Amino acid sequence: MEFNHVSVLLNEAVDSLNIREDGIYVDGTAGGGGHSAAILSRLTTGTLYSIDQDPDAIATVTERFRGDSRSRIIEGNFGDMRRLLNDVGVEAVDGVLLDIGVSSHQLDEGSRGFSYHVDAPLDMRMSQSGETAADLVNTLSVGELSRILSLYGEEKYAYSIAKGIVRYRETKRIETTLELAELIKDNVPQKVRRDGHPARKSFQAIRIAVNHELDVLESGLQGAFELLRKGGRFSAPS
Ligand SMILES: C[S@@+](CC[C@H](N)C(=O)[O-])C[C@H]1O[C@@H](n2cnc3c(N)ncnc32)[C@H](O)[C@@H]1O
């Protein structure tokens, strides 16, 4: 599998961890392993724990760091970071990096259902488990949908889009990305259609809801600060 992702602020983010060559580090969002590789390159006897909830990312970093005794890979959610580290006997670390968001791989791989440009089953789950975007848009009430679109997407036409979604699904379940993108387009004023893709904000909002991104960010930050030892560093490039 090809995993395309250009790491954000690679050197700046890793520099800011002030890495000790014998330290213990966590990359909570391993993705294609760009930041992890930069951290590993600065360790001698230290250890890096690379976490991701996406099985595609885990397969990529497992392959990329195969045979590197400084590397440990953990499939899981960084919201559970403290437990995941405690489970492998780690109580304190010297640095944590979180490069939050979606990877280019997730966006570009049409079949993952994150993109409003490529037709695919409406999925958007980073972990490839749990409720899909299709489950959400086909079951939530107008009020709940409108709140999600407004809160997580700052979508001005949240209510109109939510009403359009609920009206549409009375006749047919919404199954694909382009079906939802067209539906959103049909429920915003003409002028919005000229200002970037009209589905951009709604897709972002639904992705955040599907992956519970704000809830896990809160627990992830708490876990990171509980794990960091005195003088430890936290870095968030995105
Ligand atoms: C922006 S990419 C990271 C790219 C990575 N820094 C690199 O250099 O290749 C974000 C990654 O974080 C993962 N991710 C997002 N939220 C997560 C969470 N709550 N727990 C674990 N992984 C998460 C995604 O699956 C994705 O692979």
Side-chain angles (χ1 to χ4, degrees), residues 2-6 54 56 100-120 124-126 177 199-200 203-204 207 211 213:
E2 201 178 341
F3 196 107
N4 292 316
H5 184 86
V6 178
D54 185 340
D56 288 359
I100 291 151
V102 271
S103 66
S104 315
H105 170 79
Q106 288 162 334
L107 287 173
D108 296 346
E109 185 65 46
S111 63
R112 300 294 304 272
F114 284 94
S115 170
Y116 42 79
H117 291 301
V118 184
D119 204 17
M124 300 197 197
R125 297 167 303 169
M126 293 187 195
T177 48
R200 186 177 57 82
F203 267 57
Q204 172 191 296
R207 187 205 85 212
N211 295 289
E213 290 180 38

Side-chain angles (χ1 to χ4, degrees), residues 142-163:
V142 173
E144 288 164 326
L145 280 169
S146 177
R147 191 186 72 86
I148 286 171
L149 299 180
S150 171
L151 191 64
Y152 300 155
E154 297 180 354
E155 172 54 70
K156 197 167 154 194
Y157 302 101
Y159 186 66
S160 162
I161 295 169
K163 264 200 330 191

Side-chain angles (χ1 to χ4, degrees), residues 3-187:
F3 196 107
N4 292 316
H5 184 86
V6 178
S7 304
V8 178
L9 293 174
L10 182 62
N11 292 324
E12 293 85 343
V14 176
D15 284 349
S16 74
L17 288 173
N18 200 22
I19 290 182
R20 292 176 27 185
E21 60 180 10
D22 60 348
I24 299 177
Y25 293 88
V26 180
D27 177 355
T29 51
H35 287 101
S36 282
I39 295 170
L40 282 170
S41 72
R42 300 183 191 196
L43 299 179
T44 53
T45 55
T47 305
L48 170 67
Y49 292 87
S50 301
I51 301 172
D52 205 292
Q53 63 173 330
D54 185 340
D56 288 359
I58 290 299
T60 299
V61 290
T62 300
E63 188 54 36
R64 184 167 180 178
F65 304 133
R66 189 180 297 286
D68 188 330
S69 60
R70 302 162 301 176
S71 161
R72 306 272 190 284
I73 312 287
I74 302 177
E75 181 170 347
N77 195 303
F78 67 63
D80 303 322
M81 188 188 304
R82 185 161 180 209
R83 180 184 59 75
L84 292 171
L85 271 292
N86 289 170
D87 283 353
V88 292
V90 177
E91 300 292 337
V93 305
D94 298 286
V96 176
L97 182 139
L98 285 183
D99 178 17
I100 291 151
V102 271
S103 66
S104 315
H105 170 79
Q106 288 162 334
L107 287 173
D108 296 346
E109 185 65 46
S111 63
R112 300 294 304 272
F114 284 94
S115 170
Y116 42 79
H117 291 301
V118 184
D119 204 17
L122 189 56
D123 191 316
M124 300 197 197
R125 297 167 303 169
M126 293 187 195
S127 65
Q128 302 182 29
S129 66
E131 279 195 319
T132 65
D135 292 333
L136 290 199
V137 298
N138 284 292
T139 56
L140 296 182
S141 66
V142 173
E144 288 164 326
L145 280 169
S146 177
R147 191 186 72 86
I148 286 171
L149 299 180
S150 171
L151 191 64
Y152 300 155
E154 297 180 354
E155 172 54 70
K156 197 167 154 194
Y157 302 101
Y159 186 66
S160 162
I161 295 169
K163 264 200 330 191
I165 288 174
V166 171
R167 203 180 315 117
Y168 181 94
R169 76 187 195 207
E170 280 166 9
T171 52
K172 185 189 172 306
R173 185 178 153 87
I174 303 161
E175 301 280 8
T176 73
T177 48
L178 290 195
E179 198 177 5
L180 179 63
E182 275 301 304
L183 179 49
I184 293 167
K185 197 167 100 191
D186 291 344
N187 284 282

